[in-house]
Amino acid sequence: MASDQENSQDANAPDDTSEKEITRGITIMKSIIRDRDKAVTYNVNWNADNQLIGSNAAKLASYIGTLVRMHIPITATRWSNKELGSAKDKIWTEILRSFNIEDTTIRKKYILQLAGKRHRGWRTFLTNKYLKDKEKNFVEYDPEYPVKYAIFITEEEWVAFVAQRRDENFKKVSATNRERASNPTYAYKKGRLGYARLEEKILDETKSDATSLPPHVLWKEARVGKDGTVRDDVQHIYDECETLSQSISTAEDQENRSVLSRALNVPEYPGRVRGKGHGCTPTSLYKNPRRRNPSNQEVMETLQALQAQVLQLQKDNERYRCMEKCSSQLKETSEKASINCQNKFPEGISSCQLYLSSPTYRLVGKGKVHNTSGDLLHHRPLPDGHLKVSVDVVLDKDALLPIPDIVSETTLLRDAIGSFVAWPLDLIFIDDEVFAQGSQQLSQKIGSRQKNKRDLPVTSLPKKGAFVPRYQISLETLVDSSDMATAGAIRLLDMEEDIFGYSCTETIGKEDLEHIFRHQELGVGVIHTYIRFLYDNFMRGNDQLSNRFRFVSSSLVNKALICREPDSCREYLVKRFMASSTNNLYLCPYNSGCHWLLLAIDPLKEVVYFLNSIDGEWTNYPDMKQLVDTSIKVFRSQRQARVPRTKSSNITWIKVQCPLQRNGIDYGYFVMRFMREIINMNQIEIPITYFDEYKCAHYTRLQLEQIKEELCQYFIKKRLISI
């Protein structure tokens, strides 16, 4: 920032000549005011780099300093403060009345930036003259009010300004800056002339046809003293610049550091060109804007375009393969495509394991295979050798789909959770023992269990004193005695609007029940059934609990849907938050693709409790965090809440030290128990170290069996399974 010595003449007065100061008075540029009243205006010139030059350049610079003193208070610490907008506009208007300047954005920006420099110089001048002694140290006594500048400064402003400058933080910054500027390595020796007018002077003296000079040439000339001598170190930098300029192209100079910055071995400041002065930018110097790093939005758009190209190539490849097969086969394939029921698999819907053979043979997920006649995938025939599969659990987050889903433009298995895909027959394995026994053995087993419902095998009875899973045993007996014993059978459970904010029907299949009986990974259907159990048994009829706790549907907020339809996820969350004007804790079981965790969201307090049974951080789930943060901000905006500026971009996330699992299966059971304990404690705020009543390092198998017992009892009570 230029000092006031660069702004006006009064800064040049000696410290001990107060009489001369009073006699001389203050600079208010009366001649410009008189000429303005006579309708006289001044022309100003600009060089090729859009810098102010010409005979009236110094007059305009001084006039800008006068206007700044008149309209900008000395207590304004930041020139970018929006509250100064009207004062800046007034300064610009006053300048246009006396100087012939194009009323354009680029000219206004230049002038106001120059005004900002004058304002900082004005404040620096007052500090050095009235608040510091001859050794440039701050004085201890209270400085007198500068009566000379009373037309610019009120007494109240002066008191506030002195307090600002006596702040310890400011003194530290001032001392650091003074030390840095006290002994410059290469001192500038042209006073108020500036680089732009120095360039103009050199071009006039040499009568050159050039419109500008290289930055390193101006840099050297600005460090030549009155005697015309050039210091050896300055000449050395200049010579090095000359050498570099022969080997570096203009494009390389533009994209990286200029030759002057390279020779000085210093970084380049953004938006300015070293050795050219105020107003010269990389854009004006190189006539082309610098290439900048692409924004996140541009990167995402490029990525989406590339993904679209890949998907199109995959579509073309698939179409070519289909045409090739059709041309090579003599028999009709339309009938074969519509009747694709495979004898290798049981008819109907069966729980299965999904494998891939490349690059290694491995288990990548679990789901349900749909082996039904005439089944289509997204209204299209299934490819030969494939069956329709719905994906429930992903075990390999980087696994690719054997055939990309063209409709949803999905290529990764983890993004296909909850949707249907085509899977090769030889990589599907039924994990239900019923299929291994065959349909005839299945009938024999069901008949045997019906005859001996009360006479269970001795091996299934627990040891004396151990926990007896009575409801699980009873429910398993009911399942084997009903049509649910057949693979593909389902039951429907109505979910009323109060539970998730919309009415829906949850589908429960035999494989879901088998997951409970065998203590396997759980799907969305089981988690939602337990939520219905919590609502019916704890919250229904209990206004305190039902008004305090609410649930978020895992079908509408999960990893796969966030990747495909983030806007719909956000709209659902915001609508859910807007459903109540009181403090609510929203329990959101979240499926990340291969793992369940629980979010407990308090949108009014803007707090998110993160409960993860594998001790992971929320930063491991960036899509989830971004969705929740954005939804809370939109909710804040829609309810027109006022939030302190320091917190406007900070949603509080709290990692709760909850019990941890010791295997790769229990996460679904942990999430159900977390929800039960939170509701049972009837507290919206969850302690970081978890509730004392339930605090433990790990849940025991008995604690998880209790959750399963409640589920099985609920199935029986609701008569979802009946003979």
Side-chain angles (χ1 to χ4, degrees), residues 372-576:
T372 57
S373 298
D375 206 359
L376 302 175
L377 180 63
H378 305 309
H379 306 292
R380 300 178 60 185
L382 285 162
D384 289 342
H386 291 72
L387 279 179
K388 185 167 73 171
V389 169
S390 60
V391 182
D392 293 333
V393 178
V394 174
L395 303 178
D396 185 347
K397 65 179 182 178
D398 296 323
L400 296 172
L401 291 173
I403 296 180
D405 189 342
I406 299 176
V407 175
S408 61
E409 299 184 350
T410 302
T411 58
L412 292 174
L413 178 62
R414 67 169 183 253
D415 295 333
I417 293 178
S419 61
F420 294 102
V421 297
W423 208 273
L425 294 173
D426 57 342
L427 297 178
I428 302 174
F429 291 87
I430 301 297
D431 61 358
D432 195 335
E433 64 179 1
V434 174
F435 172 66
Q437 295 173 354
S439 58
Q440 184 177 2
Q441 295 180 10
L442 171 62
S443 301
Q444 294 175 355
K445 178 181 177 183
I446 295 175
S448 175
R449 293 295 292 270
Q450 286 177 333
K451 295 178 182 178
N452 303 285
K453 285 187 286 186
R454 298 181 181 179
D455 187 16
L456 296 175
V458 176
T459 55
S460 67
L461 293 175
K463 296 180 180 180
K464 185 177 181 180
F467 173 75
V468 180
R470 294 185 178 89
Y471 290 105
Q472 293 182 54
I473 296 174
S474 300
L475 182 61
E476 190 170 5
T477 302
L478 286 172
V479 169
D480 287 343
S481 304
S482 69
D483 64 320
M484 286 292 287
T486 305
I490 62 172
R491 290 292 187 271
L492 301 179
L493 178 64
D494 292 332
M495 308 292 286
E496 55 193 85
E497 184 176 355
D498 287 344
I499 299 177
F500 293 133
Y502 68 99
S503 58
C504 59
T505 302
E506 195 62 55
T507 303
I508 307 297
K510 179 180 184 296
E511 61 278 358
D512 292 316
L513 300 175
E514 290 291 343
H515 291 164
I516 299 174
F517 300 152
R518 299 177 185 179
H519 199 84
Q520 295 177 341
E521 295 96 337
L522 300 179
V524 176
V526 176
I527 300 294
H528 280 187
T529 301
Y530 191 75
I531 288 177
R532 174 65 189 269
F533 159 77
L534 293 174
Y535 182 80
D536 285 345
N537 289 272
F538 290 87
M539 301 168 64
R540 187 184 298 278
N542 187 329
D543 293 340
Q544 185 182 32
L545 289 178
S546 60
N547 290 331
R548 180 166 290 183
F549 300 101
R550 296 175 183 265
F551 298 101
V552 173
S553 171
S554 301
S555 299
L556 298 186
V557 179
N558 56 65
K559 168 68 175 179
L561 200 61
I562 291 175
C563 294
R564 293 201 305 266
E565 303 176 28
D567 291 341
S568 64
C569 295
R570 184 184 66 251
E571 289 173 4
Y572 167 68
L573 271 182
V574 174
K575 183 179 179 181
R576 197 78 182 103

Side-chain angles (χ1 to χ4, degrees), residues 620-681:
N620 297 333
Y621 310 93
D623 296 330
M624 172 200 73
K625 185 178 186 302
Q626 181 179 6
L627 170 70
V628 175
D629 286 351
T630 304
S631 300
I632 291 177
K633 291 177 183 178
V634 174
F635 168 66
R636 176 203 303 163
S637 175
Q638 290 191 6
R639 66 188 179 90
Q640 298 180 346
R642 294 185 177 181
V643 179
R645 183 177 299 178
T646 56
K647 192 188 175 185
S648 61
S649 60
N650 294 326
I651 310 299
T652 302
W653 283 70
I654 298 175
K655 179 182 178 182
V656 179
Q657 299 172 19
C658 54
L660 303 178
Q661 65 188 70
R662 290 179 286 191
N663 56 36
I665 298 174
D666 287 344
Y667 36 79
Y669 304 97
F670 272 64
V671 165
M672 292 191 293
R673 189 165 182 95
F674 291 156
M675 290 191 293
R676 190 190 196 284
E677 291 172 349
I678 291 172
I679 294 175
N680 192 52
M681 291 305 299

Side-chain angles (χ1 to χ4, degrees), residues 179-212:
E179 181 179 358
R180 184 176 63 228
S182 60
N183 188 23
T185 306
Y186 309 102
Y188 178 85
K189 297 185 177 181
K190 295 302 178 182
R192 298 183 59 190
L193 188 61
Y195 281 107
R197 283 183 282 166
L198 174 62
E199 182 180 55
E200 180 187 23
K201 179 181 178 182
I202 296 174
L203 292 175
D204 288 342
E205 291 176 350
T206 58
K207 297 182 180 180
S208 173
D209 295 333
T211 57
S212 63

Side-chain angles (χ1 to χ4, degrees), residues 54-69:
S55 58
N56 292 322
K59 185 187 292 291
L60 174 56
S62 297
Y63 187 51
I64 291 174
T66 298
L67 292 176
V68 165
R69 298 183 186 191

Side-chain angles (χ1 to χ4, degrees), residues 677-699:
E677 291 172 349
I678 291 172
I679 294 175
N680 192 52
M681 291 305 299
N682 195 12
Q683 294 180 209
I684 289 184
E685 295 183 2
I686 304 176
I688 296 180
T689 57
Y690 205 55
F691 303 110
D692 292 337
E693 292 80 351
Y694 299 111
K695 188 180 298 183
C696 59
H698 314 280
Y699 284 139

